[in-house]
Amino acid sequence: LQEDKVKVTFHLYDGRQLEAEGKVGDTLLDVVVNNDLDIDGYGACEGTVTCSTCHVVLTQEDFDRLPEEAGDEERDMLDLAYGLTDTSRLGCQITLTKDLNGLVVKIPEGVNDARITHTYGFRY
Ligand code: FES
């Protein structure tokens, strides 16, 4: 493992576990995109904080050690996320630090693209 590499494991609701590497400064969304991870509908708004499809669930411990708390925009969007928990964050708003090496996140079963909900009042 190189100095600035950060390993992240994504646990999918269907039982798959996807391991990937990112760099310090990448967001979790960057990790998914750069590793071409097959996660349905993930990151639909490309990190512009308008969709909530990048919702991830962390352990309490990891949640507490994230360097930054959710900002207003992120919190508003999380309110619309499917299966919201107390340790939910948006993957596009989590920036990797060295300290997060070995991070494990869960991807909830459903995604709610807030852009679609807002436009058509439709949930999937
Ligand atoms: Fe859309 Fe994160 S990618 S809110």
Side-chain angles (χ1 to χ4, degrees):
L1 209 65
Q2 276 172 21
E3 270 290 273
D4 62 343
K5 297 277 185 188
V6 183
K7 200 176 132 192
V8 185
T9 305
F10 296 84
H11 284 196
L12 275 61
Y13 63 88
D14 62 7
R16 282 184 298 148
Q17 297 192 6
L18 305 178
E19 288 190 3
E21 262 178 22
K23 296 191 302 291
V24 169
D26 281 350
T27 65
L28 277 190
L29 174 63
D30 292 331
V31 176
V32 171
V33 171
N34 294 342
N35 290 278
D36 213 5
L37 298 184
D38 176 23
I39 306 177
D40 242 13
Y42 195 88
C45 79
E46 296 173 352
T48 55
V49 204
T50 54
C51 76
S52 89
T53 65
C54 62
H55 177 203
V56 295
V57 177
L58 301 142
T59 63
Q60 186 70 52
E61 193 192 343
D62 286 333
F63 185 82
D64 291 340
R65 70 189 173 119
L66 288 184
E68 290 162 49
E69 287 183 13
D72 288 345
E73 266 186 330
E74 180 179 355
R75 277 205 297 271
D76 286 350
M77 205 40 62
L78 275 171
D79 282 341
L80 303 170
Y82 180 94
L84 182 67
T85 74
D86 287 345
T87 56
S88 290
R89 290 292 302 263
L90 293 180
C92 69
Q93 302 302 304
I94 295 177
T95 305
L96 296 179
T97 60
K98 260 191 197 168
D99 185 47
L100 291 177
N101 188 33
L103 183 68
V104 176
V105 301
K106 273 198 240 163
I107 307 282
E109 177 166 4
V111 291
N112 176 30
D113 189 336
R115 297 169 309 168
I116 294 173
T117 312
H118 283 157
T119 315
Y120 307 110
F122 164 73
R123 274 174 182 260
Y124 60 92

